[in-house]
Amino acid sequence: GAGASVAMGLCCSWKRQPLGGAVCVAGGSTIADKQSCSTPVLLVVGEKDTSFPAAVATRIQIEYGKNAELYVVPNKEQKMISSQAEMRRVMEFYSKYLVRQTNTSG
């Protein structure tokens, strides 16, 4: 959806260090400046989604490059995350990219 498009746009326009990661559910956007997309992104799309088909998500994943992952949910239409298996995949993605920073300066 629209939120996923905004998230992908932000990930590519953010010029500082990469963000921890973004999960885009049932949406995404084409990438104008492929060189600046350093934030990891997980695209979650339903196999039966007609508004944001898996083929479109695959094209966007390729455009985004090595920092994009695609998770196609079998037999799912355009819906938010709704199962334990889907949430597990999201959490696995976050566990790879989100780093807890601690302040040790006292």
Side-chain angles (χ1 to χ4, degrees), residues 1 5-8 16 28 33 37 44 47-49 54 62 83 92-93 95 97 101 104-105:
S5 296
V6 170
M8 285 196 81
R16 299 177 194 135
D33 182 5
C37 299
V44 180
E47 177 184 49
K48 295 182 178 181
D49 187 342
I62 292 167
S83 74
E92 288 169 356
F93 171 80
S95 73
Y97 298 109
Q101 295 181 349
T104 58
S105 62

Side-chain angles (χ1 to χ4, degrees), residues 5 23 26 29 40 44-45 47 49-50 56 62 67 72-74 81 88 92 95-96 99 102:
S5 296
V23 175
S29 66
V44 180
V45 62
E47 177 184 49
D49 187 342
T50 57
V56 172
I62 292 167
N67 290 317
V72 179
V73 183
I81 294 168
R88 184 177 298 115
E92 288 169 356
S95 73
K96 287 192 288 188
V99 177
T102 58

Side-chain angles (χ1 to χ4, degrees), residues 11-90:
C11 289
C12 281
S13 64
W14 190 258
K15 300 298 183 193
R16 299 177 194 135
Q17 71 181 31
L19 301 172
V23 175
C24 300
V25 179
S29 66
T30 57
I31 309 304
D33 182 5
K34 297 172 186 68
Q35 297 301 319
S36 66
C37 299
S38 57
T39 296
V41 170
L42 172 63
L43 295 160
V44 180
V45 62
E47 177 184 49
K48 295 182 178 181
D49 187 342
T50 57
S51 297
F52 187 69
V56 172
T58 300
R59 188 188 79 225
I60 290 172
Q61 176 196 21
I62 292 167
E63 286 178 4
Y64 198 92
K66 65 180 177 156
N67 290 317
E69 297 181 28
L70 175 61
Y71 174 46
V72 179
V73 183
N75 299 312
K76 186 175 182 112
E77 296 176 359
Q78 185 179 32
K79 295 181 183 176
M80 292 302 290
I81 294 168
S82 59
S83 74
Q84 186 177 25
E86 293 167 37
M87 184 52 78
R88 184 177 298 115
R89 179 63 182 90
V90 169

